[in-house]
Amino acid sequence: MDMVQIRPADPNDNIQLQRLFEDVMFGATFPPPETGHVTDFGQATEGEKIFVAQAADGAIVGIVTIWEPDSFIHYLLVAGDWQRQGIGTRLLESLEAWLPLPWKLKCEVSNRRALAFYRALGWTKIETGTGESGPYFLLLRE
């Protein structure tokens, strides 16, 4: 995994960030604006710190966004071809040096793969809620 560098995002990344956001969040079923889902990565992450996983060829293959005042992980996204290769774990580990614990995030109840991933990393469920996309768990890492 040395072929992937974790670094802060910069404005030159915006096109790749938007593309990865669309691919991971919506796939081929990208919702039209009238659905109420935020489809613009910049708008969805306004005010957040953003870090990327960049492959040796320059492609951005992962993103983590953080609402720093609450140590809240808003998005952790990894490109399909790069999933299950440690990218998500490395993105989260990159926060350890500067983001104080406890960390929180929301994960949709239906996203069983993501829930298994977070459980394996020691996250615990502290709350259940319902959002625009349906039921979610609020997870905590201490």
Side-chain angles (χ1 to χ4, degrees), residues 52-65:
V52 300
Q54 183 175 26
D57 66 1
I60 293 176
V61 298
I63 306 167
V64 64
T65 74

Side-chain angles (χ1 to χ4, degrees), residues 68-114:
E68 190 176 8
D70 298 328
S71 293
F72 185 82
I73 312 301
H74 189 191
Y75 292 104
L76 178 63
L77 309 173
V78 177
D81 292 348
W82 289 83
Q83 291 180 5
R84 305 187 76 80
Q85 296 184 42
I87 304 291
T89 301
R90 287 202 44 212
L91 283 163
L92 290 173
E93 287 173 347
S94 74
L95 307 178
E96 292 173 355
W98 65 271
L99 187 65
L101 293 170
W103 300 344
K104 293 180 184 176
L105 62 79
K106 291 180 182 176
C107 186
E108 292 180 12
V109 172
S110 62
N111 194 344
R112 297 184 195 289
R113 245 175 88 186

